[in-house]
C-alpha cells in the first residue's frame, strides 16, 4: 500500500511537471515533496482561483528582473515601498512635481498588462513618512498643529486615490496604529503625537485615524478601505483591533482587515488565525492575509545561519501547509478574500535586513534562484 501510494505520488508530480496544469483539491495522499521536481511548476494563482487572489509585494526593479515569473505565479500585487508617503510624496506641497509616481505607476502598469489586482499600501504609518508632514511654520519637529497635519493628510489621501482611481481596488488606509504593549494605541507615532486626541463620540479612537478613513471614503466611495496590522490574530492586540474594527465599521468607514502574517516557524497558530478571521468576518468585513512570510528564526533570536537547516525547512513546510489549509477553508466560506506574500523569493525578502541587519532568512516559497521550496509544494498540493 505504501509503495502504491508513493507510486501514485510520483505520477501526480510527473503530471504537474508534464502539463504545468493547475489542479486543486483531493490530493491528501501526496506529501510535500522534499526535492521539488525541476521543470514547469503549477501556478499558485491558478490553483487558488477558486479561493482568493494570491499576491506578492514587489518593487519596479523586481518586476524588471522577474516579471514573467511573477506574472505566472501571482494575480495580485502590492508595492512593498513605492506607495508609501516618503517615496511617493517626499517633499511638501501638492503640485504634481511634489509627487513621485514613477515606480508605483510602473507596478500598476505591469499589473494591468497581466490582469492582476493591485492593493494600495499605505496612507498612514509611523514609518517611512517624511518629517515635514509634522513640522509647523517654525520648522521644528512635531510642531505642526493638528489642523495642519490633518490638512496635509487630506491632500495626500485625495491625491493618491485620484491618481490610482479604478486601478487600485483597496487601500491600507491606516497601518500599525495599535500598540504591542499594554496601551491600546501606538503613542510614539508622530501621527499620535500631533493628531492623536479623540473627538467626543469617537470612543477614544485618535482623530487622525477616523479622519484618514473619512477622507478616503470621500475621495472614492467605491475603493475598499482596510485597517492593516501585525500580531492582531491573538492576545490584547486582537481585542483592540476588533474594537477598532467595530467602531470604524459602525461609522461606515471600513471594508476590510489586513492580518499582516509576519510569523515565525513553530510560533504561528493556524487555529488562532482561523478564529481571528472568523471574528473580523462576523463584523461584516472582508479579511486578507496581507504580508505573509514565515521566518526560520524565532522572535528575539538574533543568531545568524549560513544555510537553511533541514529541520527548520521541514517545520516551515508543515506550518505553511497547515496555514493554507485554514486559508482555503476560510476562502471557500467567503471570509478570506486575499493572501499576499511579502516578497517573491528568499533573495528579495525584507527579513534579510529585519529584525537583524545583514543576516539571511528563508521565509518565502521560492528560493533565491526562483526554485520552489518544499513549502511551495505544501501550499500547491493538498
Ligand atoms: C517594509 C519593506 O518591505 C522594507 O523594504 C522597508 O525597508 C520597511 O518596510 N509592515 C508593513 C510593511 O506594513 O510596509 C513593511 O515593509 C514590513 C512591515
Amino acid at each position: 500500500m505504501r509503495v502504491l501510494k508513493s507510486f501514485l505520488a510520483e505520477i501526480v508530480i510527473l503530471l504537474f511537471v508534464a502539463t504545468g496544469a493547475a489542479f486543486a483539491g483531493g490530493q491528501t495522499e501526496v506529501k510535500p515533496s522534499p526535492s521539488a521536481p525541476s521543470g514547469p511548476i503549477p501556478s499558485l494563482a491558478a490553483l487558488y482561483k477558486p479561493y482568493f487572489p494570491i499576491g506578492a509585494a514587489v518593487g519596479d526593479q523586481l518586476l524588471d528582473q522577474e516579471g514573467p515569473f511573477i506574472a505566472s505565479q501571482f494575480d495580485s500585487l502590492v508595492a512593498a515601498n513605492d506607495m508609501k508617503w516618503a517615496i511617493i510624496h517626499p517633499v511638501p506641497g501638492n503640485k504634481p512635481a511634489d509627487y513621485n509616481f514613477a515606480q508605483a505607476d510602473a507596478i500598476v502598469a505591469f499589473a494591468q498588462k497581466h490582469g492582476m489586482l493591485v492593493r494600495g499600501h499605505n496612507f498612514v504609518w509611523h514609518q517611512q513618512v517624511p518629517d515635514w508632514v509634522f513640522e509647523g511654520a517654525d520648522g521644528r519637529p512635531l510642531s505642526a498643529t493638528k489642523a495642519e497635519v490633518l490638512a496635509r493628510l487630506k491632500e495626500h489621501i485625495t491625491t493618491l486615490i485620484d491618481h490610482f482611481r479604478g486601478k487600485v481596488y483597496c487601500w491600507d488606509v491606516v497601518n500599525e496604529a495599535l500598540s504591542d504593549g499594554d496601551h491600546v494605541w501606538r503613542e510614539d507615532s508622530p501621527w499620535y503625537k500631533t493628531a492623536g486626541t479623540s473627538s467626543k463620540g469617537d470612543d477614544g479612537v485618535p482623530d487622525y485615524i477616523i479622519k484618514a478613513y473619512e477622507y478616503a471614503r470621500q475621495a472614492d466611495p467605491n475603493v475598499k478601505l482596510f485597517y492593516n496590522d501585525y500580531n492582531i490574530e491573538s492576545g490584547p492586540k486582537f481585542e483592540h483591533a476588533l474594537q477598532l474594527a467595530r467602531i470604524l465599521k459602525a461609522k461606515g468607514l471600513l471594508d476590510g482587515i489586513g492580518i499582516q502574517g509576519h510569523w515565525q516557524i513553530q510560533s504561528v497558530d493556524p487555529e488562532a488565525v482561523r478564529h481571528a478571521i472568523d471574528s473580523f468576518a462576523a463584523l461584516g468585513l472582508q479579511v486578507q492575509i496581507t504580508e505573509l512570510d514565515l521566518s526560520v528564526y524565532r522572535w528575539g533570536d538574533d543568531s545568524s545561519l549560513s544555510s537553511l537547516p533541514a529541520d527548520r525547512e521541514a517545520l516551515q513546510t508543515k506550518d505553511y501547509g497547515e496555514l493554507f489549509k485554514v486559508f482555503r477553508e476560510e476562502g471557500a466560506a467567503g471570509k478570506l478574500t486575499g493572501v499576499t506574500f511579502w516578497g517573491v523569493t528568499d533573495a528579495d525578502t525584507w527579513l534579510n535586513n529585519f529584525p537583524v541587519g545583514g543576516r539571511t532568512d528563508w521565509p518565502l516559497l521560492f528560493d533565491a534562484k526562483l526554485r520552489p521550496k518544499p513549502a511551495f509544494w505544501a501550499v500547491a498540493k493538498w
Side-chain angles (χ1 to χ4, degrees):
M1 187 60 189
R2 187 177 289 254
V3 175
L4 179 63
K5 272 189 192 167
S6 81
F7 175 69
L8 285 174
E10 287 295 334
I11 301 247
V12 168
I13 290 169
L14 281 171
L15 273 175
F16 258 125
V17 176
T19 62
F23 76 96
Q27 305 304 325
T28 43
E29 310 281 84
V30 182
K31 293 278 179 293
S33 159
S35 54
S38 58
I41 54 166
S43 157
L44 282 185
L47 289 171
Y48 277 84
K49 265 266 175 332
Y51 300 97
F52 38 72
I54 298 279
V58 298
D60 61 328
Q61 279 184 349
L62 193 66
L63 291 179
D64 286 346
Q65 290 156 11
E66 313 295 358
F69 180 79
I70 292 169
S72 75
Q73 285 296 328
F74 302 98
D75 51 4
S76 179
L77 293 179
V78 61
N81 289 296
D82 293 326
M83 291 188 189
K84 291 172 181 171
W85 196 314
I87 287 105
I88 208 161
H89 190 185
V91 293
N94 206 37
K95 298 184 298 303
D98 301 325
Y99 286 84
N100 166 35
F101 287 121
Q103 296 97 296
D105 284 349
I107 293 171
V108 170
F110 181 94
Q112 292 201 310
K113 183 172 163 199
H114 296 281
M116 306 164 99
L117 295 167
V118 183
R119 302 192 80 252
H121 177 80
N122 57 54
F123 295 138
V124 173
W125 193 28
H126 61 285
Q127 290 183 32
Q128 292 179 282
V129 53
D131 292 342
W132 65 260
V133 177
F134 312 103
E135 280 167 9
D138 61 7
R140 282 187 301 112
L142 302 173
S143 64
T145 63
K146 180 164 143 187
E148 283 170 327
V149 170
L150 293 181
R152 288 166 189 162
L153 180 61
K154 183 174 188 182
E155 258 189 356
H156 177 84
I157 289 178
T158 308
T159 303
L160 262 64
I161 287 189
D162 273 346
H163 185 85
F164 294 108
R165 188 180 301 273
K167 299 173 180 168
V168 164
Y169 78 99
C170 70
W171 281 98
D172 293 331
V173 176
V174 176
N175 195 38
E176 302 183 354
L178 292 168
S179 154
D180 297 317
D182 296 338
H183 293 252
V184 177
W185 307 107
R186 186 183 292 277
E187 294 178 11
D188 56 1
S189 158
W191 293 104
Y192 188 91
K193 287 181 177 164
T194 55
T197 50
S198 176
S199 294
K200 201 160 165 266
D202 278 348
D203 299 298
V205 180
D207 281 350
Y208 77 88
I209 298 180
I210 304 277
K211 289 292 172 196
Y213 286 92
E214 286 178 357
Y215 301 149
R217 252 314 176 248
Q218 264 169 32
D220 183 353
N222 296 317
V223 78
K224 301 293 173 216
L225 307 183
F226 276 68
Y227 176 75
N228 192 50
D229 210 332
Y230 61 88
N231 290 356
I232 53 167
E233 58 280 350
S234 59
K237 214 170 166 184
F238 164 68
E239 300 297 337
H240 298 154
L242 203 58
Q243 183 62 7
L244 174 61
R246 253 188 225 116
I247 294 167
L248 290 171
K249 172 72 180 163
K251 289 176 178 287
L253 294 174
L254 194 68
D255 304 301
I257 288 289
I259 297 173
Q260 289 186 359
H262 293 296
W263 291 311
Q264 299 84 35
I265 56 167
Q266 266 189 306
S267 62
V268 52
D269 175 359
E271 288 311 313
V273 176
R274 184 200 302 277
H275 177 256
I277 295 171
D278 287 344
S279 308
F280 290 119
L283 300 179
L285 298 167
Q286 29 171 330
V287 187
Q288 300 192 356
I289 306 296
T290 51
E291 306 190 10
L292 182 57
D293 47 26
L294 271 183
S295 172
V296 305
Y297 299 95
R298 280 171 180 275
W299 189 250
D301 171 4
D302 60 1
S303 69
S304 183
L305 294 162
S306 54
S307 61
L308 173 54
D311 58 337
R312 295 203 196 190
E313 178 152 78
L315 289 166
Q316 183 183 56
T317 303
K318 178 171 171 289
D319 282 343
Y320 263 122
E322 289 176 4
L323 278 170
F324 271 80
K325 180 169 186 293
V326 170
F327 295 168
R328 285 189 300 275
E329 287 164 3
E330 297 294 278
K335 298 174 187 174
L336 189 68
T337 62
V339 174
T340 292
F341 291 88
W342 206 247
V344 175
T345 78
D346 288 343
D348 66 80
T349 172
W350 74 303
L351 294 177
N352 288 332
N353 285 302
F354 178 91
V356 176
R359 88 171 164 191
T360 306
D361 203 340
W362 295 266
L364 295 168
L365 301 188
F366 300 101
D367 74 11
K369 295 190 169 151
L370 301 182
R371 291 174 305 207
K373 293 160 62 185
F376 172 88
W377 297 105
V379 171
K381 288 191 273 163
W382 63 89

